Amino acid sequence: MKLDAHARFSTRCIHAGQEPDPATGAIMTPIYQTSTYVQEGLGQHKGFEYGRTQNPTRMALERNVAAIESGVAGFAFASGLAAIDAVLTRLKSGDHVVVSDNTYGGTFRLFERVRRKFGLDFTYVDTSHLDRIAPALTPKTRYLFLETPTNPMLQITDIAAACEIAHRHGVRVVVDNTFASPYIQRPLELGADIVLHSTTKFLNGHSDSVGGIVVVRHEDDVEWMRFVQNAAGAILGPMDAFLIMRGTKTLDVRLERTNANTMEIAHYLEAHPKVVRTIYPGLPSHPHHALATRQMRGYGGLISFDLGTMDAARDFLGRVRLMALAESLGGVETLISHPAVMTHASVPVERRQALGITDGLVRVSVGIEDVADLRDDLAQALA
Ligand SMILES: *Cc1c(COP(=O)(O)O)cnc(C)c1O
Protein backbone atom coordinates (compact mmCIF):
# COMPACT_ATOMS: atom_id res chain seq x y z
CA MET A 1 0.00 0.00 0.00
CA LYS A 2 1.83 3.07 -1.23
CA LEU A 3 0.19 6.41 -1.90
CA ASP A 4 1.37 8.07 -5.09
CA ALA A 5 2.37 11.73 -4.63
CA HIS A 6 -0.16 12.68 -7.31
CA ALA A 7 -3.02 10.66 -5.82
CA ARG A 8 -6.36 12.39 -6.30
CA PHE A 9 -8.59 13.85 -3.63
CA SER A 10 -10.77 10.90 -2.55
CA THR A 11 -7.73 8.59 -2.57
CA ARG A 12 -5.82 11.01 -0.35
CA CYS A 13 -8.79 11.21 2.02
CA ILE A 14 -8.73 7.44 2.50
CA HIS A 15 -5.02 6.67 2.50
CA ALA A 16 -2.85 9.74 3.17
CA GLY A 17 -0.78 9.61 6.34
CA GLN A 18 -1.63 6.01 7.19
CA GLU A 19 0.38 2.83 6.86
CA PRO A 20 -0.59 -0.63 8.04
CA ASP A 21 0.43 -0.97 11.70
CA PRO A 22 4.07 -2.16 11.71
CA ALA A 23 3.48 -4.56 14.64
CA THR A 24 0.45 -6.47 13.28
CA GLY A 25 -0.41 -5.23 9.79
CA ALA A 26 -3.72 -3.82 11.06
CA ILE A 27 -5.04 -1.77 8.15
CA MET A 28 -6.56 0.85 10.48
CA THR A 29 -4.20 2.97 12.55
CA PRO A 30 -4.67 1.75 16.14
CA ILE A 31 -5.85 4.05 18.92
CA TYR A 32 -2.57 4.41 20.78
CA GLN A 33 -4.18 5.09 24.15
CA THR A 34 -0.96 5.59 26.06
CA SER A 35 0.62 8.43 27.99
CA THR A 36 4.21 7.29 27.65
CA TYR A 37 6.57 4.95 25.78
CA VAL A 38 9.18 2.57 27.19
CA GLN A 39 12.70 3.55 26.15
CA GLU A 40 15.30 0.94 25.22
CA GLY A 41 18.08 2.69 27.06
CA LEU A 42 19.09 6.11 28.20
CA GLY A 43 18.57 8.46 25.26
CA GLN A 44 17.48 5.55 23.03
CA HIS A 45 13.87 5.42 21.86
CA LYS A 46 11.74 4.99 18.75
CA GLY A 47 10.96 8.70 18.39
CA PHE A 48 8.13 8.55 20.93
CA GLU A 49 8.75 9.89 24.43
CA TYR A 50 5.57 11.28 25.95
CA GLY A 51 1.89 11.40 24.85
CA ARG A 52 1.54 15.18 24.72
CA THR A 53 4.56 15.46 22.45
CA GLN A 54 4.00 12.48 20.13
CA ASN A 55 1.09 10.12 19.55
CA PRO A 56 0.99 7.86 16.47
CA THR A 57 -2.81 8.10 16.03
CA ARG A 58 -2.81 11.88 16.24
CA MET A 59 0.21 12.13 13.94
CA ALA A 60 -1.51 9.93 11.32
CA LEU A 61 -4.53 12.26 11.39
CA GLU A 62 -2.25 15.29 11.07
CA ARG A 63 -0.52 13.83 8.00
CA ASN A 64 -3.90 12.87 6.56
CA VAL A 65 -5.50 16.32 6.84
CA ALA A 66 -2.28 18.06 5.76
CA ALA A 67 -2.44 16.02 2.53
CA ILE A 68 -6.18 16.67 2.08
CA GLU A 69 -5.62 20.44 2.46
CA SER A 70 -2.47 20.44 0.27
CA GLY A 71 -0.27 21.70 3.11
CA VAL A 72 3.08 20.51 4.43
CA ALA A 73 2.12 19.72 8.04
CA GLY A 74 -0.92 19.53 10.30
CA PHE A 75 -1.36 20.02 14.04
CA ALA A 76 -4.41 18.64 15.84
CA PHE A 77 -5.92 20.32 18.88
CA ALA A 78 -8.60 19.61 21.48
CA SER A 79 -11.17 21.84 19.73
CA GLY A 80 -11.53 24.25 16.85
CA LEU A 81 -11.06 27.16 19.24
CA ALA A 82 -7.88 25.64 20.68
CA ALA A 83 -6.59 25.45 17.07
CA ILE A 84 -7.45 29.11 16.45
CA ASP A 85 -5.82 30.13 19.72
CA ALA A 86 -2.66 28.23 18.82
CA VAL A 87 -2.45 30.16 15.53
CA LEU A 88 -2.69 33.42 17.50
CA THR A 89 0.38 32.46 19.56
CA ARG A 90 2.47 33.21 16.45
CA LEU A 91 1.75 36.89 17.23
CA LYS A 92 2.99 39.11 20.01
CA SER A 93 1.57 41.98 22.03
CA GLY A 94 0.86 45.00 19.81
CA ASP A 95 0.17 42.94 16.68
CA HIS A 96 -3.02 43.49 14.72
CA VAL A 97 -5.39 41.11 12.93
CA VAL A 98 -8.03 41.98 10.33
CA VAL A 99 -10.98 39.58 10.66
CA SER A 100 -14.02 38.78 8.52
CA ASP A 101 -16.93 40.35 10.38
CA ASN A 102 -19.78 37.96 11.14
CA THR A 103 -17.08 35.43 12.09
CA TYR A 104 -17.98 32.41 14.26
CA GLY A 105 -19.18 33.68 17.66
CA GLY A 106 -16.64 31.66 19.65
CA THR A 107 -13.83 33.11 17.55
CA PHE A 108 -15.08 36.65 18.23
CA ARG A 109 -15.28 35.89 21.98
CA LEU A 110 -11.73 34.44 22.01
CA PHE A 111 -10.34 37.47 20.16
CA GLU A 112 -12.21 40.13 22.15
CA ARG A 113 -12.43 38.70 25.67
CA VAL A 114 -9.23 36.67 25.92
CA ARG A 115 -6.55 37.72 23.41
CA ARG A 116 -7.25 41.45 23.54
CA LYS A 117 -6.18 41.28 27.21
CA PHE A 118 -2.75 40.18 25.99
CA GLY A 119 -2.33 43.18 23.71
CA LEU A 120 -3.55 41.82 20.38
CA ASP A 121 -5.76 44.15 18.36
CA PHE A 122 -8.56 43.09 16.01
CA THR A 123 -10.49 44.96 13.32
CA TYR A 124 -13.60 43.43 11.77
CA VAL A 125 -14.49 44.16 8.17
CA ASP A 126 -16.85 42.66 5.62
CA THR A 127 -14.15 40.88 3.62
CA SER A 128 -16.68 39.90 0.95
CA HIS A 129 -16.13 43.53 -0.15
CA LEU A 130 -12.48 43.27 -1.20
CA ASP A 131 -12.03 47.06 -1.27
CA ARG A 132 -12.52 47.17 2.51
CA ILE A 133 -9.50 45.00 3.28
CA ALA A 134 -6.53 47.24 2.36
CA PRO A 135 -7.82 50.31 4.30
CA ALA A 136 -8.07 48.16 7.45
CA LEU A 137 -4.44 47.01 7.27
CA THR A 138 -1.89 48.85 9.42
CA PRO A 139 1.91 48.51 9.74
CA LYS A 140 1.14 46.27 12.76
CA THR A 141 -1.17 43.89 10.88
CA ARG A 142 0.19 40.34 10.83
CA TYR A 143 -2.85 38.25 9.84
CA LEU A 144 -5.88 38.55 7.63
CA PHE A 145 -8.27 36.04 9.22
CA LEU A 146 -10.96 34.94 6.77
CA GLU A 147 -14.06 32.86 7.22
CA THR A 148 -15.99 31.91 4.10
CA PRO A 149 -18.84 31.10 3.88
CA THR A 150 -19.84 32.96 7.04
CA ASN A 151 -22.39 31.85 9.61
CA PRO A 152 -25.34 32.21 9.25
CA MET A 153 -25.51 34.73 6.39
CA LEU A 154 -23.29 32.64 4.07
CA GLN A 155 -21.32 35.58 2.69
CA ILE A 156 -18.47 34.53 0.40
CA THR A 157 -15.00 36.11 0.33
CA ASP A 158 -12.78 35.77 -2.75
CA ILE A 159 -9.86 33.93 -1.10
CA ALA A 160 -7.37 34.30 -3.99
CA ALA A 161 -8.03 38.04 -4.38
CA ALA A 162 -7.92 38.64 -0.61
CA CYS A 163 -4.56 36.79 -0.43
CA GLU A 164 -3.15 39.01 -3.17
CA ILE A 165 -4.12 42.15 -1.25
CA ALA A 166 -2.75 40.84 2.06
CA HIS A 167 0.50 39.54 0.59
CA ARG A 168 1.16 42.88 -1.12
CA HIS A 169 1.25 44.29 2.43
CA GLY A 170 3.34 41.45 3.88
CA VAL A 171 0.35 40.06 5.80
CA ARG A 172 -0.27 36.32 6.11
CA VAL A 173 -3.71 34.90 5.44
CA VAL A 174 -5.43 32.45 7.79
CA VAL A 175 -8.64 30.79 6.58
CA ASP A 176 -11.16 29.08 8.85
CA ASN A 177 -12.36 26.47 6.34
CA THR A 178 -14.80 24.75 8.73
CA PHE A 179 -18.00 25.75 6.93
CA ALA A 180 -16.83 24.60 3.51
CA SER A 181 -14.57 21.59 4.22
CA PRO A 182 -11.60 20.80 1.98
CA TYR A 183 -13.87 18.92 -0.43
CA ILE A 184 -15.46 22.24 -1.34
CA GLN A 185 -12.50 24.62 -1.13
CA ARG A 186 -8.80 24.32 -0.43
CA PRO A 187 -7.52 27.74 0.67
CA LEU A 188 -3.80 26.85 0.54
CA GLU A 189 -4.20 26.14 -3.19
CA LEU A 190 -5.73 29.62 -3.52
CA GLY A 191 -2.75 31.32 -1.85
CA ALA A 192 -3.61 31.23 1.88
CA ASP A 193 -0.78 30.66 4.35
CA ILE A 194 -2.61 28.78 7.10
CA VAL A 195 -5.90 26.87 7.01
CA LEU A 196 -7.73 25.60 10.07
CA HIS A 197 -10.83 23.61 10.95
CA SER A 198 -13.12 22.77 13.73
CA THR A 199 -12.94 19.03 12.95
CA THR A 200 -16.11 18.77 15.05
CA LYS A 201 -18.05 19.61 11.88
CA PHE A 202 -17.53 18.19 8.36
CA LEU A 203 -14.11 16.55 8.80
CA ASN A 204 -15.30 14.22 11.55
CA GLY A 205 -18.80 14.38 10.13
CA HIS A 206 -20.55 12.11 12.63
CA SER A 207 -21.28 14.46 15.55
CA ASP A 208 -19.33 12.33 18.01
CA SER A 209 -16.09 14.24 18.60
CA VAL A 210 -14.87 17.78 19.31
CA GLY A 211 -11.52 18.77 17.81
CA GLY A 212 -9.54 21.20 15.71
CA ILE A 213 -6.67 21.15 13.24
CA VAL A 214 -4.24 23.67 11.73
CA VAL A 215 -2.50 23.04 8.39
CA VAL A 216 0.45 25.21 7.37
CA ARG A 217 2.72 25.61 4.35
CA HIS A 218 5.70 27.70 5.62
CA GLU A 219 8.63 26.09 7.43
CA ASP A 220 8.66 28.78 10.18
CA ASP A 221 4.98 28.04 10.89
CA VAL A 222 5.70 24.29 11.02
CA GLU A 223 8.39 24.86 13.64
CA TRP A 224 6.31 27.19 15.77
CA MET A 225 3.12 25.11 15.63
CA ARG A 226 5.02 21.96 16.59
CA PHE A 227 6.63 23.83 19.46
CA VAL A 228 3.45 25.45 20.78
CA GLN A 229 1.32 22.32 20.41
CA ASN A 230 3.66 20.68 22.91
CA ALA A 231 4.46 23.78 24.97
CA ALA A 232 0.85 24.92 25.51
CA GLY A 233 -0.44 21.36 25.30
CA ALA A 234 -4.01 21.69 23.97
CA ILE A 235 -3.61 18.42 22.07
CA LEU A 236 -6.26 16.18 20.53
CA GLY A 237 -6.65 12.78 22.20
CA PRO A 238 -5.98 9.53 20.29
CA MET A 239 -9.61 8.32 20.37
CA ASP A 240 -10.79 11.56 18.73
CA ALA A 241 -7.96 11.39 16.20
CA PHE A 242 -9.15 7.90 15.25
CA LEU A 243 -12.76 9.03 14.89
CA ILE A 244 -11.84 12.01 12.72
CA MET A 245 -9.69 9.79 10.48
CA ARG A 246 -12.66 7.50 10.06
CA GLY A 247 -14.61 10.63 9.09
CA THR A 248 -12.12 11.94 6.53
CA LYS A 249 -12.16 8.60 4.67
CA THR A 250 -15.73 9.33 3.57
CA LEU A 251 -15.39 13.10 3.17
CA ASP A 252 -15.67 12.87 -0.62
CA VAL A 253 -18.87 10.81 -0.74
CA ARG A 254 -20.47 12.58 2.23
CA LEU A 255 -19.91 16.03 0.76
CA GLU A 256 -21.03 15.00 -2.69
CA ARG A 257 -24.38 13.89 -1.19
CA THR A 258 -24.46 16.94 1.09
CA ASN A 259 -24.07 19.26 -1.91
CA ALA A 260 -26.83 17.49 -3.86
CA ASN A 261 -29.29 17.31 -0.93
CA THR A 262 -28.70 20.92 0.05
CA MET A 263 -29.21 22.26 -3.46
CA GLU A 264 -32.52 20.44 -3.68
CA ILE A 265 -33.69 21.69 -0.27
CA ALA A 266 -32.63 25.25 -1.16
CA HIS A 267 -34.76 25.17 -4.33
CA TYR A 268 -37.67 23.75 -2.35
CA LEU A 269 -37.45 26.48 0.30
CA GLU A 270 -37.03 29.29 -2.22
CA ALA A 271 -40.23 28.22 -3.98
CA HIS A 272 -42.25 27.81 -0.74
CA PRO A 273 -44.82 30.59 -0.19
CA LYS A 274 -44.21 30.73 3.59
CA VAL A 275 -40.47 31.34 3.20
CA VAL A 276 -39.69 35.05 2.94
CA ARG A 277 -36.05 34.64 1.88
CA THR A 278 -33.70 31.73 1.22
CA ILE A 279 -29.94 32.27 1.52
CA TYR A 280 -27.77 29.67 -0.24
CA PRO A 281 -24.68 30.38 -2.36
CA GLY A 282 -25.92 27.83 -4.90
CA LEU A 283 -29.00 29.90 -5.74
CA PRO A 284 -28.66 32.53 -8.48
CA SER A 285 -30.45 34.89 -6.04
CA HIS A 286 -27.41 34.80 -3.70
CA PRO A 287 -25.31 37.98 -4.10
CA HIS A 288 -22.06 35.99 -4.35
CA HIS A 289 -23.36 33.15 -6.50
CA ALA A 290 -20.88 33.73 -9.36
CA LEU A 291 -17.89 33.87 -7.00
CA ALA A 292 -19.09 30.75 -5.14
CA THR A 293 -19.38 28.92 -8.45
CA ARG A 294 -15.78 29.81 -9.26
CA GLN A 295 -14.26 29.21 -5.86
CA MET A 296 -16.20 26.27 -4.44
CA ARG A 297 -16.92 22.72 -5.59
CA GLY A 298 -20.64 22.67 -4.96
CA TYR A 299 -22.03 25.09 -2.41
CA GLY A 300 -21.94 23.20 0.89
CA GLY A 301 -24.46 21.96 3.41
CA LEU A 302 -25.79 25.14 5.01
CA ILE A 303 -28.89 27.12 4.18
CA SER A 304 -30.41 30.03 6.09
CA PHE A 305 -34.00 31.02 5.50
CA ASP A 306 -36.34 33.61 6.92
CA LEU A 307 -39.85 32.79 8.07
CA GLY A 308 -40.70 36.43 8.77
CA THR A 309 -41.33 36.42 12.52
CA MET A 310 -40.12 34.83 15.74
CA ASP A 311 -43.53 33.17 16.15
CA ALA A 312 -43.38 31.58 12.72
CA ALA A 313 -39.83 30.36 13.38
CA ARG A 314 -40.73 28.96 16.80
CA ASP A 315 -43.79 27.22 15.41
CA PHE A 316 -41.77 25.67 12.58
CA LEU A 317 -38.94 24.51 14.90
CA GLY A 318 -41.50 22.87 17.17
CA ARG A 319 -42.99 20.91 14.28
CA VAL A 320 -39.95 19.40 12.54
CA ARG A 321 -39.74 15.68 13.22
CA LEU A 322 -36.74 14.27 11.34
CA MET A 323 -34.57 17.38 11.60
CA ALA A 324 -33.06 17.84 15.07
CA LEU A 325 -33.05 21.19 16.85
CA ALA A 326 -29.38 21.57 17.79
CA GLU A 327 -26.31 23.77 17.45
CA SER A 328 -23.38 22.52 15.36
CA LEU A 329 -23.30 21.36 11.75
CA GLY A 330 -21.56 19.13 9.27
CA GLY A 331 -22.81 15.76 10.54
CA VAL A 332 -24.54 13.02 8.57
CA GLU A 333 -27.85 14.01 10.18
CA THR A 334 -29.77 17.19 9.45
CA LEU A 335 -29.62 19.79 12.21
CA ILE A 336 -31.72 22.90 12.42
CA SER A 337 -31.13 25.97 14.58
CA HIS A 338 -32.33 29.47 15.31
CA PRO A 339 -29.29 31.82 15.23
CA ALA A 340 -30.89 34.78 17.08
CA VAL A 341 -31.82 32.64 20.11
CA MET A 342 -29.14 29.95 19.92
CA THR A 343 -25.70 30.58 18.36
CA HIS A 344 -25.89 34.39 18.15
CA ALA A 345 -27.76 35.18 21.38
CA SER A 346 -24.71 36.99 22.78
CA VAL A 347 -24.54 39.33 19.76
CA PRO A 348 -26.26 42.66 20.60
CA VAL A 349 -29.64 43.11 18.87
CA GLU A 350 -28.56 46.10 16.75
CA ARG A 351 -25.48 44.22 15.53
CA ARG A 352 -27.60 41.12 14.80
CA GLN A 353 -29.99 43.21 12.77
CA ALA A 354 -27.15 44.91 10.90
CA LEU A 355 -25.84 41.47 9.95
CA GLY A 356 -29.32 40.35 8.83
CA ILE A 357 -29.84 37.84 11.64
CA THR A 358 -33.55 38.47 12.05
CA ASP A 359 -35.91 36.81 14.55
CA GLY A 360 -37.44 34.76 11.75
CA LEU A 361 -34.11 33.38 10.51
CA VAL A 362 -33.60 29.61 10.66
CA ARG A 363 -30.38 27.80 9.73
CA VAL A 364 -30.26 24.24 8.53
CA SER A 365 -27.22 21.97 8.20
CA VAL A 366 -28.43 19.48 5.64
CA GLY A 367 -27.40 15.88 6.28
CA ILE A 368 -27.16 12.90 3.97
CA GLU A 369 -30.55 11.32 4.65
CA ASP A 370 -32.80 10.60 1.68
CA VAL A 371 -33.67 14.06 0.45
CA ALA A 372 -37.31 13.08 -0.10
CA ASP A 373 -37.69 12.49 3.64
CA LEU A 374 -36.12 15.87 4.38
CA ARG A 375 -38.50 17.53 1.92
CA ASP A 376 -41.48 15.74 3.53
CA ASP A 377 -40.39 16.94 6.96
CA LEU A 378 -40.13 20.55 5.75
CA ALA A 379 -43.51 20.28 4.01
CA GLN A 380 -45.35 19.08 7.11
CA ALA A 381 -43.55 21.54 9.42
CA LEU A 382 -44.35 24.49 7.12
CA ALA A 383 -47.97 23.40 6.43
C1 LIG B 1 -17.59 25.27 15.44
C2 LIG B 1 -16.70 26.30 14.81
C3 LIG B 1 -15.53 26.74 15.45
C4 LIG B 1 -15.15 26.29 16.84
O1 LIG B 1 -14.86 24.94 16.88
P1 LIG B 1 -15.03 24.05 18.21
O2 LIG B 1 -14.59 22.70 17.74
O3 LIG B 1 -16.46 24.13 18.61
O4 LIG B 1 -14.12 24.64 19.23
C5 LIG B 1 -14.74 27.65 14.79
N1 LIG B 1 -15.07 28.14 13.58
C6 LIG B 1 -16.19 27.75 12.94
C7 LIG B 1 -16.51 28.32 11.61
C8 LIG B 1 -17.05 26.82 13.54
O5 LIG B 1 -18.17 26.46 12.91
Side-chain angles (χ1 to χ4, degrees):
M1 211 176 81
K2 189 119 182 55
L3 185 64
D4 192 276
H6 304 292
R8 292 162 183 83
F9 186 75
S10 62
T11 310
R12 271 186 277 154
C13 286
I14 294 165
H15 294 291
Q18 299 151 77
E19 308 255 293
D21 178 46
T24 63
I27 191 159
M28 288 301 141
T29 306
I31 305 164
Y32 285 90
Q33 196 74 42
T34 186
S35 61
T36 192
Y37 307 87
V38 177
Q39 307 195 4
E40 289 121 65
L42 202 53
Q44 279 183 287
H45 54 72
K46 299 181 163 72
F48 295 90
E49 298 149 281
Y50 183 61
R52 170 165 28 78
T53 322
Q54 306 104 355
N55 178 282
T57 321
R58 187 181 84 220
M59 290 156 78
L61 170 71
E62 291 171 342
R63 290 191 298 266
N64 177 249
V65 179
I68 292 174
E69 277 287 10
S70 303
V72 307
F75 303 91
F77 293 90
S79 70
L81 283 173
I84 295 170
D85 200 43
V87 166
L88 289 185
T89 63
R90 272 297 263 150
L91 310 185
K92 58 184 188 324
S93 175
D95 285 345
H96 176 243
V97 182
V98 173
V99 188
S100 294
D101 70 352
N102 188 7
T103 191
Y104 177 73
T107 303
F108 181 76
R109 182 177 56 199
L110 170 68
F111 290 177
E112 289 303 307
R113 309 235 339 245
V114 182
R115 285 297 158 187
R116 201 174 265 289
K117 280 208 311 183
F118 294 84
L120 293 185
D121 189 18
F122 302 90
T123 300
Y124 302 86
V125 298
D126 182 349
T127 53
S128 71
H129 291 274
L130 290 169
D131 57 345
R132 298 188 191 168
I133 296 175
L137 303 174
T138 77
K140 300 254 187 196
T141 309
R142 296 278 311 279
Y143 282 154
L144 172 62
F145 188 100
L146 301 177
E147 203 178 300
T148 178
T150 59
N151 175 33
M153 301 313 290
L154 306 175
Q155 305 270 90
I156 312 291
T157 293
D158 185 331
I159 297 173
C163 287
E164 243 181 76
I165 297 166
H167 290 162
R168 228 182 287 133
H169 292 81
V171 171
R172 282 192 179 177
V173 179
V174 182
V175 178
D176 181 339
N177 201 26
T178 302
F179 257 54
S181 92
Y183 173 93
I184 286 176
Q185 70 192 8
R186 286 189 292 284
L188 297 182
E189 293 177 7
L190 298 171
D193 302 280
I194 298 177
V195 61
L196 59 87
H197 286 271
S198 165
T199 59
T200 315
K201 319 293 169 52
F202 288 104
L203 285 182
N204 180 56
H206 293 75
S207 308
D208 53 9
S209 156
V210 171
I213 197 157
V214 177
V215 177
V216 302
R217 71 190 313 166
H218 303 292
E219 224 23 73
D220 56 336
D221 281 331
V222 175
E223 273 167 45
W224 178 260
M225 292 308 297
R226 182 168 294 136
F227 171 77
V228 84
Q229 183 187 39
N230 181 54
I235 49 154
L236 185 74
M239 177 74 191
D240 291 284
F242 176 87
L243 288 171
I244 298 160
M245 241 183 320
R246 163 181 278 203
T248 59
K249 286 180 194 296
T250 57
L251 184 69
D252 191 89
V253 286
R254 280 189 290 112
L255 266 289
E256 193 180 323
R257 171 72 85 90
T258 300
N259 275 341
N261 276 6
T262 313
M263 185 62 105
E264 195 166 331
I265 295 296
H267 281 300
Y268 176 82
L269 288 168
E270 192 167 55
H272 199 286
K274 290 206 179 142
V275 177
V276 178
R277 181 184 175 206
T278 304
I279 304 166
Y280 185 58
L283 296 173
S285 59
H286 190 284
H288 310 137
H289 175 64
L291 167 60
T293 303
R294 228 180 330 117
Q295 177 165 286
M296 300 164 76
R297 177 180 172 201
Y299 304 93
L302 290 138
I303 306 173
S304 292
F305 60 100
D306 203 328
L307 289 172
T309 65
M310 175 71 88
D311 282 346
R314 182 179 289 115
D315 192 48
F316 168 78
L317 294 168
R319 284 164 181 269
V320 288
R321 291 205 286 253
L322 181 57
M323 301 184 178
L325 180 65
E327 293 189 9
S328 199
L329 59 117
V332 290
E333 65 290 303
T334 299
L335 300 181
I336 199 149
S337 69
H338 187 270
V341 170
M342 295 167 70
T343 47
H344 289 66
S346 62
V347 179
V349 184
E350 319 78 67
R351 170 117 187 95
R352 264 200 326 254
Q353 271 157 6
L355 292 170
I357 305 169
T358 56
D359 286 350
L361 196 75
V362 171
R363 190 197 77 187
V364 53
S365 169
V366 179
I368 60 172
E369 299 97 336
D370 190 310
V371 72
D373 290 323
L374 297 175
R375 232 189 302 106
D376 288 350
D377 195 28
L378 287 173
Q380 64 81 21
L382 287 167

